[in-house]
Amino acid sequence: MKHLFLGAAASALALTAGIAHAQQPATTAPASAPAKPTYGSYGFDAAGMDLSVKPGDDFYDHANGTWAKNTPIPADKSNYGAFNTLDELSRSRTRAILDAAKDDPASKIGAAYASYLDTAAVEAKGLAPIKPWMAEIKGVKDKAARAGISGPFRFYVGQDDKDPETYILSMSQGGLGLPDRDYYLDEKPEMAKIRAAYVAHLETMLTLAGETDAKARAAALMAFETEVAKVHWTQIDSRDADKTYNKLTLAALQKAAPGFDFAAYFKANGLTPTDLLVAQPSAITGEAALIAKTPIAVLKDALLLRSLHAYADKLPDNIANADFAFYGTTLSGTPEREARWKRGVDFLKDSLGEEVGKVYVAQYFPPETKAAMDVLVKNVIAAMGRRIDGLPWMSDTAKARAHKKLAAFTPKIGYPDKWR
């Protein structure tokens, strides 16, 4: 079902109302409505609000009702809100930059953008760009793994949740082609339909990749992923900060999951951790056991299909359209793919973001805008400092530490001398 998505927090309300006013005519609340608040004094327009709805009855409709009623969801979106309009503005500006860069033979971003838009070349090459990787997958003889594509586990290096001064490798469950374990295990009819569509999608993708026996292989992969889903934690448990904080040594993890060579797995990804955080230990050990007993052909198919999904938008339309038909339409409810120029802008932002950003900042973020943002940030910092001073439950020692922490976030902008 289509729906509009707008934040109901006061800051989002300000942004929503301000943008809605530029798109929609002003509305007049009916006589029975409460008196119009003086929202304008807060620096935004109220045209997108529905003042006939009391905020205590339905704050979302009060804040966004008129905007929601009068703003259709574009065909290339599953939801739409104020931040989408900002994103579209940014994309349009970036498109203009890239269109101009295409005419410059020395421009790296121009050449990359032009190559992305050259659909004739993309179609002519077919699967040739990904064939070497597909051949490498076919040639795998053992279950040692390398990530980069969505693999059996997710991992990243970040701050230790209970020791923010330290960075540590964090690991969590993965290995599913559908969004969550419930998509495999929930018996509701709508979930059953999605599962059937997913298996059909896997079969289609294998066929488009030139593989044989696609139907049986799709069924085998679905059976494997269903077993993986059974050992996955629920979303509720996975949101529990205490349950998901499990610090282990690599040796302890290896001992708990003897069916998978974690040392080789991390080494293949350039990592040699001594300790790591494991969010869902029983899911990790359960997945390791499943990998150990699953035929390597099934695991190779999983890697092949994840690869096709990851690179679908850079491949010919028969692959890209099939991928979107399932992940874009069946799962997300989006009727149409975005225009190629929009996808091209996103491609450049992901692949050459810094180069594009330099030009964007030069054109759309002049010194006076930066100065205005510095003032805004300084005001926020000052307000936070005053809030710290006014907290009755915080000791003077704690306040001093809080001010020190606040100052640490703003070395280039400056921190009020009062709180240094």
Side-chain angles (χ1 to χ4, degrees):
M1 177 182 295
K2 290 184 176 180
H3 61 282
L4 292 172
F5 176 79
L6 292 172
S11 59
L13 167 61
L15 178 61
T16 299
I19 292 174
H21 180 71
Q23 296 177 332
Q24 309 296 342
T27 57
T28 303
S32 58
K36 180 178 179 180
T38 57
Y39 290 115
S41 62
Y42 300 142
F44 61 89
D45 273 317
M49 303 173 69
D50 185 349
L51 300 182
S52 68
V53 179
K54 295 180 179 179
D57 292 341
D58 190 324
F59 184 73
Y60 182 90
D61 277 348
H62 172 77
N64 309 304
T66 298
W67 193 93
K69 290 172 185 175
N70 296 320
T71 306
I73 300 175
D76 62 356
K77 298 286 188 294
S78 62
N79 55 68
Y80 198 68
F83 288 104
N84 292 99
T85 64
L86 295 177
D87 181 60
E88 288 174 354
L89 174 62
S90 175
R91 275 175 155 184
S92 295
R93 288 173 169 176
T94 306
R95 181 190 189 183
I97 290 170
L98 296 174
D99 280 338
K102 285 191 302 180
D103 298 327
D104 180 359
S107 173
K108 183 191 299 185
I109 62 174
Y113 185 57
S115 69
Y116 189 93
L117 296 183
D118 190 350
T119 55
V122 172
E123 296 297 326
K125 290 179 180 178
L127 292 176
I130 201 174
K131 282 286 187 181
W133 175 240
M134 294 171 63
E136 190 173 339
I137 293 172
K138 289 179 181 293
V140 171
K141 303 298 183 184
D142 57 45
K143 295 180 181 179
R146 182 182 71 183
I149 308 298
S150 176
F153 314 107
R154 299 187 180 100
F155 60 87
Y156 67 94
V157 175
Q159 288 174 293
D160 187 323
D161 292 336
K162 295 189 178 182
D163 183 13
E165 300 298 321
T166 302
Y167 279 79
I168 191 170
L169 178 67
S170 295
M171 185 179 189
S172 61
Q173 62 192 18
L176 300 180
L178 292 173
D180 178 69
R181 70 188 299 276
D182 291 346
Y183 282 79
Y184 296 86
L185 308 178
D186 195 313
E187 295 301 324
K188 293 186 179 70
E190 55 268 31
M191 289 297 195
K193 289 180 180 179
I194 289 176
R195 286 193 288 271
Y198 179 55
V199 176
H201 167 69
L202 296 177
E203 182 181 349
T204 297
M205 295 298 278
L206 286 168
T207 301
L208 291 173
E211 299 296 314
T212 59
D213 201 19
K215 188 177 186 68
R217 289 164 67 177
L221 181 55
M222 181 62 173
F224 169 67
E225 290 186 10
T226 301
E227 292 304 307
V228 172
K230 290 177 181 177
V231 303
H232 267 213
W233 287 22
T234 65
Q235 289 192 33
I236 293 174
D237 286 337
S238 294
R239 289 195 294 264
D240 189 310
D242 291 321
K243 286 183 179 180
T244 55
Y245 186 87
N246 305 281
K247 185 177 286 188
L248 300 175
T249 64
L250 181 59
L253 175 64
Q254 191 67 73
K255 184 177 180 180
F260 190 89
D261 191 342
F262 284 102
Y265 177 70
F266 289 126
K267 186 177 180 179
N269 289 278
L271 299 167
T272 54
T274 302
D275 302 307
L276 67 161
L277 294 178
V278 180
Q280 303 99 352
S282 64
I284 302 300
T285 56
E287 286 186 59
L290 286 168
I291 290 170
K293 70 179 185 179
T294 298
I296 193 170
V298 176
L299 301 177
K300 288 161 69 172
D301 279 347
L303 184 55
L304 170 62
L305 287 158
R306 297 293 183 275
S307 300
L308 292 171
H309 173 58
Y311 297 114
D313 205 50
K314 289 81 176 174
L315 295 172
D317 272 348
N318 61 346
I319 295 285
N321 287 337
D323 186 79
F324 180 82
F326 180 72
Y327 284 103
T329 302
T330 301
L331 278 186
S332 302
T334 308
E336 298 177 6
R337 289 175 73 194
E338 289 187 319
R340 192 164 188 89
W341 75 263
K342 292 183 179 181
R343 291 180 277 127
V345 167
D346 290 344
F347 169 67
L348 264 295
K349 285 163 62 179
D350 291 338
S351 59
L352 295 170
E354 289 192 12
E355 286 83 351
V356 176
K358 289 175 184 177
V359 184
Y360 191 98
V361 168
Q363 290 193 21
Y364 297 108
F365 199 68
E368 57 269 25
T369 301
K370 183 180 185 302
M373 290 304 299
D374 282 349
V375 171
L376 184 151
V377 173
K378 285 181 179 179
N379 288 340
V380 171
I381 293 168
M384 292 180 70
R386 289 193 296 271
R387 183 176 177 84
I388 291 170
D389 284 339
L391 293 174
W393 52 268
M394 188 177 282
S395 68
D396 290 341
T397 301
K399 288 179 180 179
R401 292 180 62 188
H403 282 305
K404 183 178 179 181
K405 190 171 184 179
L406 182 59
F409 284 106
T410 57
K412 294 181 180 180
I413 296 174
Y415 194 64
D417 290 333
K418 174 183 176 183
W419 296 309
R420 284 189 184 279

